[in-house]
């Protein structure tokens, strides 16, 4: 049973509830572009995960069969409890290394790029974490944790982490000593020096207290959310590539062969001395920090949100139908998803070429509805032509009514 799939509707219900709480309390923890960008990275991560999750499952199964020291029973309650605790212990080290090593931070930084903090931030996930994260969970396979138990406790661990991404819940007394809470996780998402690289637990904060990485949220040090090298973009594809691009450019520019390799595995932020001297990175002082913003009129924002809703629906469809879809179908659906989210990101940034790109996206609905039945993405049906044709026509009408003038603001 895919617990994440069943939880998705509740995620959006809770996001709406948080928006209502914002309004009731007279605060504003959401910006349209930031929330769309966060959820876009989550949709993109989920879609790519349909194609890449096999890597983790195959390696885990191999380790379980060939390296497992025990054969633990899947029906034992103690196996489930032990696996849940051990999974979070492994997650702690993955998460900690994700902050302390360049190659792992390149993947994990996506989750920290938002300069707001709300429940949509919880959905902001990497599309490249699958490359190395599986390594950290091999101890569970070696100890004989059954695959079904591993997959389930992994989902439960991820589900727990959703609710801690809110500013509406204060400190929770004794609970703060044992578990990850909104308060100590807000500190984790800070770019303040006091909070930097702290509070790595997923469910249990005990690991941080045990290994010296705990930091309490201090009322005298308000949290400033985001990363020290801002993303400054609403594009979910660039969000996943930003730090990889920096590492690649630094590796290419350095004159030392040894540094070309070790930069990927050094502590986060390390750069070759010759590159640092020739290409210094400007990092704004915290006192001068301003959230990235691009001013769009309400009509343009509404247009993007409505188009984005179509991709959320497509992502939900792919998750529901994944077991019956071929690799070709997933590639086509994932490709359409990636292109659409890229175009909407460009629209939110009001790039000079975004309107032309949006027109091209709508035109590509025609070959999409033709190709989809050929690869099994969905059955051939006149209804599909009518639906996508109507969507494209209405979108063109909406696009015509949207202005394109934009002014960048400092908020």
């Amino acid at each position: 049973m895919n617990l994440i799939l069943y939880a998705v509707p509740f995620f959006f219900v809770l996001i709406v509830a948080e928006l209502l709480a914002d309004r009731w309390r007279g605060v504003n923890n959401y910006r349209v572009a930031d929330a769309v960008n966060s959820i876009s990275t989550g949709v993109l991560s989920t879609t790519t995960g349909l194609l890449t999750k096999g890597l983790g499952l195959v390696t885990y199964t191999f380790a379980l069969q060939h390296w497992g020291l025990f054969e633990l029973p899947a029906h034992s309650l103690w196996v489930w409890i032990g696996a849940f605790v051990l999974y979070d212990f492994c997650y702690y080290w993955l998460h900690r290394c994700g902050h302390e090593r360049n190659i792992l931070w390149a993947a994990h930084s996506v989750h920290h790029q938002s300069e707001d903090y709300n429940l949509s931030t919880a959905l902001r996930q990497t599309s490249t974490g699958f490359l190395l994260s599986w390594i950290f969970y091999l101890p569970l396979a070696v100890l004989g944790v059954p695959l079904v138990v591993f997959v389930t406790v992994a989902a439960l661990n991820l589900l727990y982490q959703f609710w801690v991404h809110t500013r509406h819940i204060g400190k929770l007394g004794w609970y703060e000593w044992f578990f990850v809470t909104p308060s100590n996780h807000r500190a984790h998402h800070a770019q303040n020096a006091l909070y930097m690289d702290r509070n790595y637990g997923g469910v249990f904060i005990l690991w941080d207290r045990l290994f010296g990485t705990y930091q309490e949220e201090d009322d005298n040090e308000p949290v400033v959310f985001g990363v020290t090298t801002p993303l400054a973009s609403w594009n979910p594809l660039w969000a996943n590539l930003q730090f990889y691009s920096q590492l690649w450019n630094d590796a290419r520019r350095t004159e030392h062969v040894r540094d070309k390799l070790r930069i990927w595995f050094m502590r986060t932020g390390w750069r070759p001395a010759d590159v640092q001297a020739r290409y210094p990175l400007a990092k704004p002082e915290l006192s001068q920090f301003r959230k990235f913003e691009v001013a769009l009129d309400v009509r343009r924002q509404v247009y993007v949100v409505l188009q984005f809703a179509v991709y959320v629906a497509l992502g939900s469809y792919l998750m529901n139908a994944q077991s019956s879809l071929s690799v070709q179908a997933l590639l086509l659906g994932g490709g359409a998803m990636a292109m659409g989210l890229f175009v909407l990101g460009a629209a939110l940034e009001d790039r000079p070429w975004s309107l032309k790109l949006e027109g091209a996206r709508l035109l590509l609905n025609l070959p999409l509805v033709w190709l989809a039945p050929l690869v099994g993405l969905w059955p051939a049906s006149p209804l599909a032509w009518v639906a996508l044709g109507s969507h494209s026509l209405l979108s063109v009408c909406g696009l015509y009514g949207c202005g394109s003038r934009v002014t960048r603001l400092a908020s």
Side-chain angles (χ1 to χ4, degrees):
M1 182 173 63
N2 189 339
L3 296 178
I4 304 300
L5 175 62
Y6 289 105
V8 168
F10 295 99
F11 291 162
F12 286 100
V13 168
L14 290 172
I15 286 173
V16 171
E18 187 177 44
L19 284 166
L20 292 175
D22 272 14
R23 188 174 183 85
W24 180 57
R25 292 187 170 185
V27 296
N28 186 15
N29 294 319
Y30 279 85
R31 291 178 295 156
V32 170
D34 182 87
V36 168
N37 186 239
S38 288
I39 301 173
S40 291
T41 58
V43 171
L44 191 64
S45 174
T46 301
T47 304
T48 55
L50 299 178
L51 289 162
T52 61
K53 67 178 182 180
L55 174 63
L57 294 178
V58 168
T59 53
Y60 187 90
T61 301
F62 178 89
L64 184 64
Q65 293 176 349
H66 294 85
W67 303 335
L69 300 177
F70 310 100
E71 293 184 14
L72 299 178
H75 60 269
S76 169
L77 177 62
W78 291 110
V79 170
W80 284 84
I81 294 173
F84 186 79
V85 174
L86 181 58
Y87 182 94
D88 198 64
F89 178 74
C90 294
Y91 175 85
Y92 168 87
W93 287 106
L94 166 61
H95 198 179
R96 181 170 176 171
C97 291
H99 281 253
E100 295 181 351
R101 295 294 149 182
N102 273 332
I103 186 64
L104 294 171
W105 175 246
H108 182 61
S109 61
V110 177
H111 183 61
H112 285 264
Q113 291 162 345
S114 175
E115 294 165 352
D116 295 330
Y117 192 78
N118 50 58
L119 292 177
S120 75
T121 311
L123 303 181
R124 188 181 186 94
Q125 298 293 330
T126 177
S127 293
T128 61
F130 72 94
L131 293 171
L132 295 173
S133 61
W134 57 271
I135 297 172
F136 290 82
Y137 298 113
L138 291 181
L140 282 87
V142 173
L143 292 176
V145 174
L147 180 62
V148 65
V149 177
F150 169 74
V151 171
T152 305
V153 298
L156 291 172
N157 188 281
L158 185 61
L159 289 173
Y160 178 91
Q161 295 181 50
F162 178 78
W163 77 283
V164 302
H165 292 83
T166 184
R167 301 180 71 176
H168 286 288
I169 299 176
K171 294 183 179 180
L172 298 176
W174 65 267
Y175 195 82
E176 300 280 340
W177 278 89
F178 304 99
F179 297 98
V180 174
T181 67
S183 177
N184 56 49
H185 200 65
R186 284 192 293 269
H188 173 71
H189 273 259
Q191 55 175 301
N192 314 52
L194 174 64
Y195 303 122
M196 194 79 71
D197 300 332
R198 293 290 185 269
N199 302 355
Y200 296 117
V203 173
F204 301 107
I205 204 67
L206 289 171
W207 314 126
D208 293 282
R209 293 183 181 277
L210 180 62
F211 296 110
T213 53
Y214 177 74
Q215 174 59 52
E216 181 180 6
E217 185 181 24
D218 189 339
D219 293 336
N220 297 316
E221 179 78 18
V223 172
V224 179
F225 300 104
V227 290
T228 56
T229 303
L231 175 64
S233 172
W234 299 130
N235 201 293
L237 271 67
W238 178 240
N240 278 279
L241 297 175
Q242 180 200 29
F243 199 68
Y244 286 109
S245 175
Q246 179 188 316
L247 292 176
W248 174 261
N249 286 330
D250 284 355
R252 178 174 55 84
R253 288 165 173 167
T254 184
E255 297 175 356
H256 306 289
V257 175
R258 180 167 175 258
D259 286 347
K260 291 180 182 295
L261 177 61
R262 71 175 182 145
I263 185 175
W264 301 90
F265 305 98
M266 293 295 287
R267 289 192 66 87
T268 304
W270 182 90
R271 305 177 72 207
D274 58 335
V275 175
Q276 177 65 35
R278 286 183 292 149
Y279 304 96
L281 288 177
K283 295 189 177 183
E285 294 292 331
L286 198 62
S287 60
Q288 300 174 338
F289 172 76
R290 298 292 182 272
K291 292 181 180 180
F292 174 74
E293 187 67 274
V294 177
L296 294 178
D297 61 39
V298 174
R299 291 177 300 174
R300 192 76 174 272
Q301 293 183 51
V302 169
Y303 177 85
V304 170
V305 169
L306 291 175
Q307 295 294 331
F308 177 62
V310 174
Y311 287 102
V312 172
L314 176 59
S316 298
Y317 169 77
L318 292 174
M319 287 182 67
N320 275 284
Q322 59 177 303
S323 60
S324 61
L325 295 178
S326 65
V327 173
Q328 293 86 347
L330 290 174
L331 285 171
L332 179 61
M337 180 79 71
M339 179 189 175
L341 295 177
F342 174 84
V343 173
L344 294 183
L348 287 172
E349 295 175 19
D350 202 44
R351 298 289 184 179
W353 36 266
S354 62
L355 290 178
K356 293 180 180 179
L357 197 61
E358 174 65 2
R361 180 184 73 88
L362 296 174
L363 283 175
L364 285 174
N365 280 341
L366 294 175
L368 174 62
V369 78
W370 172 70
L371 281 171
L374 296 180
V375 298
L377 183 56
W378 58 66
S381 170
L383 183 61
W385 287 97
V386 172
L388 272 181
S390 301
H391 167 258
S392 298
L393 182 60
L394 290 172
S395 297
V396 169
C397 293
L399 195 61
Y400 181 78
C402 291
S404 61
R405 188 173 66 86
V406 66
T407 304
R408 291 185 177 272
L409 298 179
S411 61

